[in-house]
Amino acid sequence: MTYDFIHRSLPMRVRFAAGSRKHLGDELDELGLGRVLVLCSPGHHVGDDIVETLGKRSVGLYPHAVMHVPTEVAEQASAKAVELGADGCVSIGGGSAIGLGKAIALKHGLPVVAVPTTYAGSEMTPVWGMTTNGRKETGRDLAVLPRSVVYDPELTTSLPVEMSVTSAFNAMAHAVEGLYAPDTDPIVSLLAEDGVRAIAAALPKLVADPGAIDPRGEVLYGAWLCGATLGATTMSLHHKLCHALGGTLNLPHAQTHTVVLPHVLAFNQSEAPAAVAALDRALPGDGDPATRLWRLEHELDAPTSLAELGMAERDIERIVAEVTARPYGNPRPVTPDDVRCILGAAWSGREPRQI
């Protein structure tokens, strides 16, 4: 085989171990930070625990991170960071808290230390997103890439089983699209395949014993690899659809990724043989990878239709217009009729099939 590719490694530090949150201060020392603003979602008790652990190094807690990072929340958090004289942020939680830290980094250049408590993967990417007037805008900027990530599987035990499942499928979506991305490479493909394998193997164990640390650590390890895939490649139709559904209709992020993933994969499989081969190796069961994912969702009682997430059928045309308004990379050309068919299948929850 003759190799011909470009691979970029992102400049960040990762600490991974059960109980690693106890060493958060060491990560701040590594970065020279002494006045950090702690960010989390409302009611997230871990935020209070981290503030107490950091002591004088914390200048305060901003517990108002919400899904899809509304612009007004980002502006309020940025103003609070400036008011308190923060020299960095510690984001604790999932994509909402980490996304809020990125918004502050984008505006003020403050470094972010991420402490994930879900499997979203945002902590491994230079991708930011904010929602203004029902439209979600995304971009890539190394300024928002967390400088340090502290993975502690113990922190994920508070994540309910149903959210653990959908968060894990959200992570797998990053890897699936990374496998057929226009800028993928052999290193990224290895990360993506092993990430899917780790999550698919461990997720049933997590559901069977939610308090066990080992399965949660395996899923978190897989989510790290899937997030690294997202950070290294360009996402395609799946993420475009999910951003439109989330930003326009305010559908829940992880659940939307879970529902949409098998249907977009079914659409792209014919033009992505290398991705299909990798997923064949990584996923358990029989049938094509899209069908295996859909069956795994059923086995784990994950949502399988956009209707059950609150989307009305009449909203399909609105999303079709949003998704086809701007060009983006995808292994197969996408027409409005294609998007309409994919959304119709995802809305009804029927088994994915080739269009």
Side-chain angles (χ1 to χ4, degrees):
M1 179 183 293
T2 301
Y3 290 110
D4 185 355
F5 65 88
I6 296 172
H7 176 77
R8 183 189 298 274
S9 295
L10 296 176
M12 67 193 318
R13 173 183 163 103
V14 173
R15 181 186 287 266
F16 195 118
S20 60
R21 65 190 181 279
K22 299 170 187 175
H23 301 284
L24 183 56
D26 294 337
E27 298 304 306
L28 299 185
D29 287 343
E30 184 75 18
L31 297 173
L33 301 178
R35 295 180 57 81
V36 295
L37 177 63
V38 178
L39 310 171
C40 67
S41 297
H44 206 314
H45 67 87
V46 179
D48 293 316
D49 294 342
I50 293 298
V51 168
E52 183 177 351
T53 298
L54 293 178
K56 293 181 179 179
R57 295 184 179 192
S58 169
V59 296
L61 175 67
Y62 189 85
H64 305 297
V66 292
M67 191 170 58
H68 305 306
V69 194
T71 301
E72 58 272 19
V73 175
E75 290 175 349
Q76 291 164 7
S78 295
K80 179 60 69 173
V82 171
E83 175 191 334
L84 295 173
D87 59 5
C89 294
V90 174
S91 293
I92 302 174
S96 299
I98 293 168
L100 185 57
K102 288 180 175 184
I104 296 173
L106 187 66
K107 185 167 185 176
H108 297 295
L110 298 185
V112 176
V113 175
V115 186
T117 61
T118 75
Y119 310 117
S122 174
E123 67 279 357
M124 293 303 297
T125 81
V127 178
W128 57 268
M130 280 185 277
T131 301
T132 305
N133 298 325
R135 186 183 183 93
K136 188 168 186 177
E137 180 185 4
T138 61
R140 299 175 77 93
D141 193 319
L142 280 176
V144 310
L145 180 73
R147 300 279 296 278
S148 176
V149 181
V150 176
Y151 285 108
D152 186 344
E154 293 176 356
L155 292 179
T156 69
T157 57
S158 62
L159 190 66
V161 168
E162 59 273 16
M163 277 303 301
S164 297
V165 169
T166 55
S167 183
F169 275 102
N170 179 16
M172 282 197 282
H174 308 327
V176 169
E177 288 228 299
L179 283 167
Y180 56 61
D183 51 356
T184 195
D185 64 55
I187 308 304
V188 170
S189 295
L190 288 173
L191 294 175
E193 181 178 335
D194 201 42
V196 171
R197 179 206 56 76
I199 292 174
L203 202 50
K205 301 174 191 175
L206 185 157
V207 171
D209 188 359
I213 297 300
D214 284 350
R216 287 191 174 272
E218 291 167 17
V219 174
L220 192 60
Y221 165 78
W224 168 24
L225 298 182
C226 294
T229 300
L230 174 65
T233 57
T234 303
M235 295 291 101
S236 304
L237 175 60
H238 170 83
H239 280 75
K240 182 72 174 179
L241 272 168
C242 291
H243 287 161
L245 290 163
T248 304
L249 304 179
N250 202 36
L251 296 188
H253 184 78
Q255 293 91 326
T256 301
H257 276 274
T258 301
V259 171
V260 170
L261 178 59
H263 300 282
V264 175
L265 179 56
F267 174 77
N268 280 326
Q269 280 177 153
S270 63
E271 301 300 320
V276 168
L279 293 170
D280 274 337
R281 294 188 294 267
L283 291 168
D286 300 317
D288 63 83
T291 301
R292 293 190 207 182
L293 281 172
W294 187 78
R295 288 174 180 165
L296 184 60
E297 291 173 0
H298 272 270
E299 291 169 10
L300 300 177
D301 292 325
T304 54
S305 78
L306 294 174
E308 67 185 288
L309 301 184
M311 179 181 175
E313 190 172 14
R314 65 178 178 273
D315 288 325
I316 289 178
E317 289 304 317
R318 187 178 173 190
I319 301 302
V320 169
E322 176 76 16
V323 169
T324 56
R326 301 177 185 176
Y328 49 90
N330 196 67
R332 182 178 168 187
V334 182
T335 69
D337 281 342
D338 293 331
V339 177
R340 198 170 287 115
C341 288
I342 291 168
L343 285 172
W347 182 83
S348 66
R350 65 174 179 264
E351 185 170 349
R353 62 173 182 262
Q354 181 71 52
I355 296 174

